[in-house]
Amino acid sequence: MAPKPQAETPLADAIVLFGATGDLSRRMLLPSLYFLDADGLLPVGFKILATARAPHSRQDFVGQVREILDARPEAVDDGVWARFAERLDYVACDATSAEGAALLKPHLAGHARPMFFLAISPSLYGRVCAALAASGLANDASRIVLEKPIGRDLETSRQVNEAVGAVFDEKRIFRIDHYLGKETVQNLIALRFANTLFEPLWNNLTIDHVQITVAETEGVGERWPYYDEYGALRDMLQNHMLQLLCFVAMEPPADMDPNSVRNEKVKVLRSLRRFTRADAQAASVRGQYARGVVGGKEAAGYETERGQPTGTETFVALRADIDNWRWAGVPFYLRTGKRLPERRTQIVIQFKPVPHSIFGNAAKDDLVANRLVIDLQPDEDIALTLMNKSPGISQGGIRLQSMPLSLSLLRAYEGPGARRRIAYERLLLDVVHGNSTLFVRRDEVEEAWRWVDGVADAWSEAGMAPKPYAAGSWGPAGAFALIERSERAWLD
């Protein structure tokens, strides 16, 4: 479901893409901008000004963008490309200095409402913002987009937010989490709040537990200097996973106004039960991948990739509890890790079983509780498992079988061969329109860090070191014990 656009907000008339030669820009941002142009969604005259330190000419950069698009499975339309190429420009500069940022100014002549996308290290956010202010590029109509992570803990997050906030007021800051641009996450909002069927059941009376899994098959590799500082807890759980948890658990907002939605998400984060030292052992698991086999190929352990021993976790599983009336007693099981057997991002809403079976012994083992499974990647889908009569006749009464019912709008309406949108397309378009519904507000970021800091502190107090697990497995054995001790199981 697309958020309601704010028609009264002037459209951005340019994007300045910092870190334009980096991996994020090449894989996601530049293709997203091309597809928005192909769909006629970029404003007339909208300019794409790319910048990085690499000394490319405009012509060289435009050629690189064409190569990026040609490498994708979708065919490039020559007419769209001609229009898109006209929008592209490139400036080589060090944007952390006022002198470097000033080099951008002539290229934005006639563009009064630029949006700045910082696809660079978060450690540079404050310096770039200060340079934009000193060069006169940051004005009351400009917007800025920040990639995660916003800090490493609550204190550093506040420092980053204050540095950016000294130049841009909160309504012009768009903290991006690309998971929120996925069609299925937005469909979850529609599923809950546009149907009378689900919302009355969305509580501790009918839901047994919730699982959120973000599994990756790749290792850390050359990213270890960054990853060793953050680990799985800060890299994935603090942002992506807690955002998904909020969309599952939040109360119905009054409307789709950005603050209405984000107010409800903040309430969820404030209701998360704080971790203690005792919780560290009983309700969480830390792991680090060792040598193993992934996808039929041998994979080195994390410490081998890093070159020396380290206490950084590459896997986290934990139980989170939300202490409010709707969710009291419903555990939320979260797990994320590198070098797992498959790439999967999934939310599982496990309902409670029927209170009493009327079908007798013949169907006793067939009867399973309803389950809503929301897949975000590699494929997006929403499926509800229902019980149905098994076809045919049998002695001893009715036999049952479970039947998944796809609720995915993608499958229902896009048709065969339809292109799956990049999540950044939705989010970039929202920044153009000034709609911050699917972006993260400062108090959200800080509440999430406050809770995650509590988990990290509990680990430290308990002296919990990561447990090794073989690459290609589903993590340490403790991850299974975490959920099985309550007679539940991960959906694998």
Side-chain angles (χ1 to χ4, degrees), residues 371 381-388 401-407:
R371 178 189 297 132
D381 190 26
I382 301 178
L384 176 64
T385 299
L386 301 173
M387 293 306 302
N388 187 42
Q401 66 178 9
S402 60
M403 180 180 67
L405 174 66
S406 176
L407 306 177

Side-chain angles (χ1 to χ4, degrees), residues 313-348:
E313 78 283 346
T314 63
F315 177 94
V316 177
L318 56 79
R319 169 178 169 155
D321 288 272
I322 301 173
D323 290 332
N324 62 22
W325 277 31
R326 181 184 291 263
W327 296 110
V330 178
F332 283 68
Y333 293 101
L334 282 60
R335 64 173 173 173
T336 182
K338 300 282 189 182
R339 291 292 192 207
L340 299 181
E342 63 184 73
R343 178 172 174 258
R344 183 201 305 175
T345 300
Q346 185 179 72
I347 302 169
V348 178

